[in-house]
Amino acid sequence: MNDHHSIRLNGPWEMITGLPDEPQRVKLPKGWPEVISASKDGPVLLQRWFHRPTGIDDGSRVELVLVDMPFSGSVSVNDTSLGQFAANQPHSLSVSEHLTQRCCLTLSVEKLAELEDSIPIPQISLAIHPAN
């Protein structure tokens, strides 16, 4: 039984590369090939703004969930580092204490994984676990 509510963080992201160009908007999940291609040429940051989920209270727990990421890297929320994550492994990181009214999620691509012919579609979401 699913005891949490999930919010997928698809939609518009900004992709910032080492080039002096303006950030490029990418719509995930459709834009993953662009992100993978750009990461072959150097560092890439992905940023997405979102509002604090409604309906959470003091007893709720909110986690950032990363599934099938084709790279290793680091993650931060509102400029607070949440640590590293490995490629192709599910990760769940607590973000409850870092949520503000408007939040900035940043993923830093550090190393592209060895990719096979078929690449699973990565998923980035928030899991909201209600108070017990």
Side-chain angles (χ1 to χ4, degrees), residues 36-80:
I36 292 169
S37 178
S39 66
K40 290 177 183 176
D41 296 329
V44 172
L45 290 178
L46 293 172
Q47 286 189 324
R48 186 184 190 286
W49 291 89
F50 64 95
H51 289 95
R52 184 178 192 272
T54 59
I56 58 175
D57 57 30
D58 291 340
S60 299
R61 191 175 83 248
V62 182
E63 296 177 331
L64 174 67
V65 179
L66 306 173
V67 178
D68 292 328
M69 302 304 286
F71 51 83
S72 60
S74 60
V75 61
S76 66
V77 173
N78 298 327
D79 294 324
T80 300

Side-chain angles (χ1 to χ4, degrees), residues 27-40:
K27 176 129 171 101
L28 300 181
K30 186 175 95 173
W32 279 112
E34 295 170 59
V35 173
I36 292 169
S37 178
S39 66
K40 290 177 183 176

Side-chain angles (χ1 to χ4, degrees), residues 5-7 9 12 14 18 22 33 40 46 50 66 69-70 72-73 76-77 82 85 91-92 119-120 122 126-127:
H5 173 70
S6 290
I7 301 171
L9 297 175
E14 288 187 348
E22 290 292 316
K40 290 177 183 176
L46 293 172
F50 64 95
L66 306 173
M69 302 304 286
S72 60
S76 66
V77 173
L82 301 179
F85 61 90
H91 293 278
S92 182
I119 301 168
L126 294 176

